[in-house]
Amino acid sequence: MCGIVGYVGKSHAKEKVIDGLKRLEYRGYDSAGIALPIDGRIQIRKHVGEIKNLEKIIGAPEFDSAVGIGHTRWATHGAPSDVNSHPHGNGDNSIAIVHNGIIENYQEIKEWLIRDYGVNFKSETDSEVIAHLIGIFYDGDLLEAVNKAVAEMRGAYAVCAIAAAEPDKIVAVRKDAPLVAGIGKGFNFIASDIPALLKYVRQVYLIENNETVVLTKDDIVIYNEEGRKVKRDVFNVTWDADAAEKEGYEHFMLKEIHEQPKGIFETLTRRINDDDSINLDGISMTKEDIEGFNKVYIVACGTAYHAGLVGKLVIEKMAKIPVEIDVASEFRYRDPFVDENTLFIGISQSGETLDTLAALREAKRKGARILSVVNVVGSSVARESDDVFYTWAGPEIAVASTKAYTTQLVCMYLLGLYMGRTKGTIDEAYYHKVLADLKALPDKVTALLKKEDDIAEIARKYHRREQVFFIGRGLDSGVSYEGSLKLKEISYINSFAIAAGELKHGTIALMEEETLVFALATQDFLYEKMVSNVEEIKARGARVIGVAKEGRTEIEKVADEVIYIPDCIDEVSPVLAVIPLQIFAYYVARERGCNIDKPKNLAKSVTVE
Ligand code: M6R
């Protein structure tokens, strides 16, 4: 995720900005850059890759100033590259900016600037338009120019700007992207996140939406949308740097569990138009292509594979096309039936998982059309695919994947709906029903997260168990696998998932007094069958934690505890059903004193075979 740091003081801006950027490294980034006003010109240096790459090109002592802005970039528009990195300058670098967020109408602005002002764009980013806009409006007053530029922009942004002609100040503005101003003595800071500032300041102003702020070394002045000065209370930061990175959460995993409503919202809204049609902008799949596919192959690893299990059922149901699914490490070695009429969907949070990448290459070699569902923009999987459907989960730091999974599910639904509508295999009423339930998910996940304490209580009760089963039918079966993986990878409990109807073919032999079983019963049309399955295991003495939709109370008669998820149509329930399982796994691991964010033997991205 992009990070912004700006410093205004008497000297040594470079060191402060770089230090602040390093404090934001944990969030993930693909390039970094810095801009400093030096001797009447703005000097910009930027480099793809880690901050240490940038440090190599800014080492000279004369490359320094009293003011500076810096940025770590998480690519959205345009691949990670030196030229796409921030800061961006206008034509003569009399203005430089750094930007977090997305300028939705950047194409429009770009065309206008090229047509009317002959602007020469260097990068593929949306952000560069901001520098040129400010440059065009600049007439000796940076604040005024920023305000005029902002009036032309739609979207979400936190922007910091500097002008060569006013080398003693930074002007910053925000809308739907965070910004904080750090209050120093004889210096001030601006940043996207508190951790960037904590080494130097403990007192900050939290900048609010549509506010503009002017920082000089002795002053921070905040203006509201109408241009009036605003008095802001000082916010005293009491967390240490480590806690601040986690925004007060004890672990990244918990933070990321709570970020799911946002990730789901972002992933949905970027693909749904005002008229409720789904846009696959940037994905070159035509109606003829979709009608020409005779098979879909979903391939992934771990949690991403579990998203694929749901995706298989959803795409088959909606697009009426056979979907095969495989774990990447198997697919690549078994000469799969894949040809030029196959749509290969690779799912990967990191986009760097070696097995998934190798499977993708194998499918490509056989002529398949490659569509990847990826979180990290510009990653290897994304680069090697014909098309990419990005999830908008933001950087996932905890090894245990949570928000990537739920956003991957959202992509599966959007793809299924798009393909089904294009092929005419779903009717309009069904399309709109599913879409309405998808759009309701961010609020429903938020409501479900309020049950965290109750679920934590259940986790405390059972955290000493050494064996846990997860069962479900239909879409719940896929979620069971994910619940089981979450628990085992962070708590080291031996957990096992199985389709509930399959229990009686062997696994029920393991059911005995007090065996703990999570029974997912969120599929209305399979509800009674699940209740029967629960009765069968209860008869063997098992302890059962049911997960059911609100209002489906029959399960209370057989389960020992029931966690209710908000009501929804069966299709979208996996996004909700997995949340209690994530929270349960988290609190069990916490009770057991495990290293939650970095479980033993595991890496976030498995780039080896
Ligand atoms: O980055 P990817 O989505 O390709 O990673 C795939 C798996 O390694 C990953 O999902 C793994 O299973 C997680 N630790 C699960 O929480």
Side-chain angles (χ1 to χ4, degrees):
M1 203 63 131
C2 301
I4 287 178
V5 183
Y7 172 83
V8 199
K10 294 190 190 100
S11 62
H12 300 308
K14 177 172 68 177
E15 174 200 328
K16 313 290 188 328
V17 170
I18 293 294
D19 188 73
L21 293 179
K22 283 184 177 168
R23 312 253 155 203
L24 299 180
E25 276 190 300
Y26 71 96
R27 295 147 44 94
Y29 66 103
D30 51 58
S31 52
I34 185 168
L36 306 168
I38 302 173
D39 298 335
R41 279 205 70 205
I42 296 177
Q43 302 285 345
I44 298 176
R45 302 284 186 276
K46 44 197 192 173
H47 211 298
V48 74
E50 295 179 34
I51 294 173
K52 63 180 182 217
N53 296 343
L54 175 67
E55 284 181 297
K56 283 183 197 148
I57 57 169
I58 57 169
E62 59 275 19
F63 183 78
D64 210 343
S65 174
V67 172
I69 54 173
H71 192 262
T72 45
R73 177 172 186 251
W74 169 271
T76 56
H77 291 74
S81 67
D82 290 352
V83 75
N84 286 337
S85 314
H86 296 217
H88 292 286
N90 64 335
D92 60 0
N93 281 2
S94 53
I95 301 290
I97 63 98
V98 288
H99 165 227
N100 283 2
I102 289 184
I103 306 303
E104 285 163 9
N105 58 336
Y106 83 101
Q107 278 296 8
E108 227 172 86
I109 298 176
K110 199 167 175 174
E111 282 161 26
W112 165 52
L113 293 177
I114 293 171
R115 191 183 57 239
D116 291 6
Y117 295 91
V119 168
N120 182 19
F121 281 86
K122 296 191 186 107
S123 74
E124 303 158 280
T125 65
D126 55 332
S127 310
E128 192 184 341
V129 299
I130 307 169
H132 291 290
L133 273 177
I134 297 173
I136 277 156
F137 291 126
Y138 189 73
D139 192 14
D141 184 340
L142 185 58
L143 173 63
E144 194 183 293
V146 167
N147 285 335
K148 284 184 178 165
V150 161
E152 303 294 333
M153 287 157 33
R154 277 202 319 271
Y157 45 82
V159 177
C160 289
I162 54 174
E166 296 172 81
D168 59 341
K169 70 170 67 149
I170 296 175
V171 176
V173 60
R174 68 154 281 194
K175 178 175 173 273
D176 297 331
L179 210 49
V180 288
I183 311 163
K185 284 202 175 73
F187 65 89
N188 288 305
F189 272 100
I190 186 89
S192 52
D193 303 82
I194 290 173
L197 314 174
L198 278 188
K199 187 172 163 194
Y200 302 99
V201 296
R202 286 266 151 195
Q203 295 197 310
V204 302
Y205 293 128
L206 302 174
I207 309 302
E208 297 195 348
N209 252 353
N210 301 312
E211 288 182 341
T212 313
V213 51
V214 179
L215 297 104
T216 53
K217 71 179 170 42
D218 299 315
D219 221 354
I220 299 174
V221 185
I222 305 171
Y223 297 91
N224 67 14
E225 213 175 352
E226 288 79 45
R228 280 195 290 276
K229 285 186 186 172
V230 179
K231 191 164 163 24
R232 180 67 25 85
D233 290 340
V234 170
F235 179 80
N236 287 300
V237 184
T238 50
W239 328 310
D240 60 16
D242 186 47
E245 285 178 359
K246 296 179 189 123
E247 289 169 16
Y249 290 102
E250 201 177 331
H251 297 95
F252 281 113
M253 181 180 175
L254 191 60
K255 173 174 174 271
E256 287 159 10
I257 287 173
H258 281 269
E259 283 171 346
Q260 290 180 107
K262 182 162 187 288
I264 293 166
F265 176 81
E266 295 288 335
T267 306
L268 278 171
T269 48
R270 281 163 210 282
R271 292 286 176 194
I272 301 178
N273 299 321
D274 291 345
D275 64 357
D276 267 358
S277 58
I278 292 169
N279 74 67
L280 292 194
D281 292 354
I283 297 178
S284 55
M285 213 159 56
T286 62
K287 185 172 190 295
E288 291 66 45
D289 292 335
I290 291 172
E291 283 167 350
F293 296 136
N294 58 18
K295 183 203 288 176
V296 175
Y297 225 123
I298 302 179
V299 178
C301 305
T303 289
Y305 170 76
H306 297 153
L309 290 175
V310 173
K312 169 185 161 65
L313 300 191
V314 166
I315 294 173
E316 279 182 345
K317 176 166 186 171
M318 295 178 183
K320 301 282 179 280
I321 182 165
V323 182
E324 289 206 42
I325 173 152
D326 211 345
V327 287
S329 52
E330 289 298 314
F331 176 91
R332 58 186 290 200
Y333 291 118
R334 67 178 183 77
D335 196 14
F337 288 116
V338 168
D339 59 24
E340 51 286 348
N341 296 319
T342 306
L343 172 65
F344 174 96
I345 303 179
I347 310 177
S348 177
Q349 186 284 129
S350 62
E352 301 297 346
T353 302
L354 187 76
D355 284 326
T356 308
L357 197 55
L360 177 158
R361 288 175 182 153
E362 172 68 4
K364 204 173 192 177
R365 201 180 57 75
K366 289 177 175 253
R369 174 70 170 265
I370 313 292
L371 171 69
S372 59
V373 174
V374 173
N375 196 40
V376 179
V377 175
S379 55
S380 304
V381 170
R383 286 199 311 274
E384 296 195 25
S385 300
D386 296 314
D387 293 300
V388 189
F389 196 130
Y390 282 112
T391 48
W392 286 85
E396 200 179 55
I397 315 281
V399 164
S401 186
T402 52
K403 58 180 183 169
Y405 174 75
T406 43
T407 53
Q408 285 160 354
L409 291 182
V410 168
C411 294
M412 293 292 110
Y413 294 121
L414 292 175
L415 267 177
L417 283 178
Y418 186 87
M419 291 171 76
R421 199 184 203 195
T422 305
K423 288 178 73 182
T425 45
I426 50 174
D427 63 34
E428 284 300 287
Y430 178 79
Y431 172 88
H432 289 288
K433 188 162 74 145
V434 179
L435 205 65
D437 263 45
L438 285 175
K439 285 178 170 181
L441 279 174
D443 286 345
K444 288 184 181 176
V445 174
T446 304
L448 189 48
L449 288 169
K450 298 212 166 84
K451 297 192 178 181
E452 182 179 342
D453 289 347
D454 299 338
I455 301 166
E457 198 46 49
I458 297 175
R460 276 190 275 276
K461 202 152 135 189
Y462 296 111
H463 76 273
R464 288 205 176 81
R465 300 300 171 102
E466 287 307 328
Q467 179 171 258
V468 180
F469 290 83
F470 291 78
I471 62 171
R473 285 170 170 264
L475 291 172
D476 280 338
S477 156
V479 182
S480 301
Y481 284 94
E482 177 55 11
S484 170
L485 177 63
K486 254 349 39 114
L487 185 64
K488 71 169 66 121
E489 71 179 325
I490 60 168
S491 73
Y492 318 135
I493 289 175
N494 179 18
S495 70
F496 185 85
I498 184 166
E502 184 65 8
L503 267 174
K504 58 185 172 295
H505 298 289
T507 306
I508 201 163
L510 296 173
M511 295 295 146
E512 53 187 25
E513 275 315 303
E514 292 300 313
T515 304
L516 186 62
V517 182
F518 256 94
L520 306 192
T522 75
Q523 300 294 291
D524 285 341
F525 80 112
L526 293 165
Y527 186 70
E528 283 176 11
K529 293 199 182 301
M530 264 313 290
V531 172
S532 304
N533 287 133
V534 173
E535 273 168 359
E536 283 157 20
I537 55 174
K538 277 305 291 176
R540 272 95 186 159
R543 296 284 291 187
V544 176
I545 304 170
V547 178
K549 288 185 203 159
E550 267 157 16
R552 317 306 192 272
T553 53
E554 193 64 15
I555 195 165
E556 281 180 26
K557 292 184 189 147
V558 285
D560 298 276
E561 336 253 356
V562 181
I563 302 167
Y564 286 106
I565 63 168
D567 198 7
C568 61
I569 56 169
D570 284 357
E571 283 83 337
V572 307
S573 76
V575 180
L576 297 167
V578 76
I579 308 283
L581 309 188
Q582 295 170 341
I583 298 173
F584 179 80
Y586 172 81
Y587 279 101
V588 166
R590 190 170 171 271
E591 285 299 311
R592 291 164 74 100
C594 300
N595 186 350
I596 293 181
D597 285 335
K598 290 193 175 129
K600 68 178 182 200
N601 305 338
L602 295 177
K604 181 66 186 158
S605 178
V606 185
T607 54
V608 291
E609 202 176 347

